[in-house]
Amino acid sequence: MLAGFGSRKQPAEGTTTELHAKALALQDAGGTRLVIVTTDLIGIPRPLRDRVEARVVKQFKLPAASLLLNASHTHCGPELRMTTTALEELSEERRQLTTEYCRRLEDALVALVGDSLADRSPARISYSHARAGFAMNRRLKNPDPEGEPYLNHPNPDGPVDHDVPVLQVTWKSPARRAILFGYACHNTTLFVNQYAGDYAGYAQSFLEQDHKETTALFLNGCSGDQNGFPRGTVELSRRHGRTLATAVEAAMQNRQVEVHGPLRVALGHVQLDYQPAPTRKQLEDYLAGVASPFKDYELTRTHAARLLRQIQKGHTLRRTYDFPVQTVRFGRQLVLVALAGETVVDYSLRLKKELRGNGAVWVSGYNNDVFAYIPSRRLLAEGGYEPRRSMNYVTGTIQPGPFDPSIEERIIGKVHELLRLTAPR
Ligand SMILES: [Zn+2]
């Protein structure tokens, strides 16, 4: 089964474009390493990160902070379910298939990290950036006061991050190049029941076709509330992929900043709080269909049933989440911030402002643990799909409800803390 759209009833019916995992391994003169793994997957389940991490720490002595796993968030990749919560509502057959696939994926990623670390030679690294305009904010204030406060609908006036950061790594023997590029746009511009990398997959393959001896890797941005418009067909997805590849080529022609060492990597966790969970009485009302915190009574009812089941099993509902934050300093030229979850654009816009003076700033989302939308304080105040309704869907973990508005300060605070710890001396 393909992951992402709950409405699908049939397994994948063929392939639009192949899916890839790719790795870029870097090591500075002092021996500090960084492996960036990009994947055409819906997300990185926490258990996948944990298992791959444990194995690469053991096999390759790669510190956890040196491993970055990113998901393009294509909705045309395989279903990944690894926790009891995620598995329990599946049929026996589907459970077996996804479990077997996740095991193979884990092995493949560990081998990929090992191969990339083994294949090293002196390289030059440069950074530049350009812009692409097809991502649009997808939250529109609902003119109907009776409906949800915000609709999932194009909003040409909402916040966006059109930056296309590009890291070029070139080496001589054999002459090759890696192009790592980012963009903040949901990778869901086509609807097919086939394997497909969506616009990010097209962008990578165009760059690899048009530039000899090149590996192109897509690092997802803070695209939680950004969609590519127009959208809906394979042709539109290909067109957005071409647009993004063209922006990457523009960046390659722009003035390059030579990136030097040392590499300074950091990985930390910050506790995020949820808003108080509904009471048992509230949950029973939700289940009975006589109350709902928002307009979708059916979704509220399914979620309430899950939470009540947890209570009946004697579990307490989750109050906090241990959220991973990763930072990388490339000398004094570039800072890469890798946030977990479906990070919304406010994080990259804010961090780019606050981190001025640290060289170029690249903020990425969908890293290491993609378990929920990560709303900002603003989105939590506004309501709608990302901060509120999406929390009622099953991911790896059962969420009791929306996050507390302190989420934004906690995450941003952790980023600053890690960057202080790794500040150049
Ligand atoms: Zn999403």
Side-chain angles (χ1 to χ4, degrees), residues 73 75 138 186 224 342 366 373:
H73 199 50
H75 282 36
R138 69 174 199 189
H186 241 75
E342 297 201 45
Y366 295 78
Y373 279 92

Side-chain angles (χ1 to χ4, degrees), residues 84 88 306-316 398:
T84 323
E88 68 188 358
R306 271 183 215 120
L307 294 176
L308 282 167
R309 241 181 356 253
Q310 279 203 309
I311 294 173
Q312 276 147 18
K313 282 189 209 158
H315 302 310
T316 42
I398 298 182

